[in-house]
Amino acid sequence: MTWRWPAVGKVVGTFVSGDQTRQGVDIAGSAGANVSAAADGTVVYSGNGLLGYGELVIVKHSTSFLSAYGHNRKRLVKEGDTVKAGQVIAEMGGSNREMLHFEIRRNGKPVNPLEFLPAR
């Protein structure tokens, strides 16, 4: 599977294995900036019911991989939608800092997204 960056911006928070508050990366940006699917998949969650994530989109890419996109201002996809890598799925914003919180999970466990995303 080929991964792409889900947003343009500087990484301002990094993954720390075992730290429940740092299970992904935070990418700084501006309110309303595009948040894109990091790989092809199906939207399995689009809502705001998971505490600490704000407006959240979760995409299933395979039987092993999911990606999560949190702290959005607006979700642009709904559960069941098929998305392509690079497709805009949300607008950044909605937390006290304009940023995207991005996670990759393999077999349900968080992994460091920087090990999967291409070098910038």
Side-chain angles (χ1 to χ4, degrees), residues 91-111:
E91 293 177 2
M92 191 181 295
S95 67
N96 59 356
R97 184 172 189 179
E98 302 302 338
M99 66 175 190
L100 168 68
H101 177 74
F102 176 68
E103 297 182 6
I104 295 176
R105 293 184 177 240
R106 181 173 49 207
N107 299 321
K109 297 190 184 311
V111 294

Side-chain angles (χ1 to χ4, degrees), residues 12-86:
V12 294
T14 56
F15 175 88
V16 176
S17 182
D19 184 338
Q20 294 299 314
T21 65
R22 299 184 59 190
Q23 297 185 351
V25 295
D26 296 325
I27 303 168
S30 56
N34 289 341
V35 173
S36 303
D40 295 353
T42 302
V43 177
V44 294
Y45 182 82
S46 180
N48 59 9
L50 292 174
L51 201 60
Y53 288 92
E55 298 294 332
L56 173 68
V57 174
I58 300 175
V59 177
K60 182 176 184 176
H61 304 287
S62 68
T63 56
S64 300
F65 284 98
L66 297 170
S67 58
Y69 311 77
H71 302 304
N72 299 299
R73 173 170 85 177
K74 183 177 182 182
R75 294 173 281 112
L76 303 175
V77 292
K78 63 187 184 314
E79 291 172 19
D81 286 353
T82 299
V83 296
K84 293 288 186 191

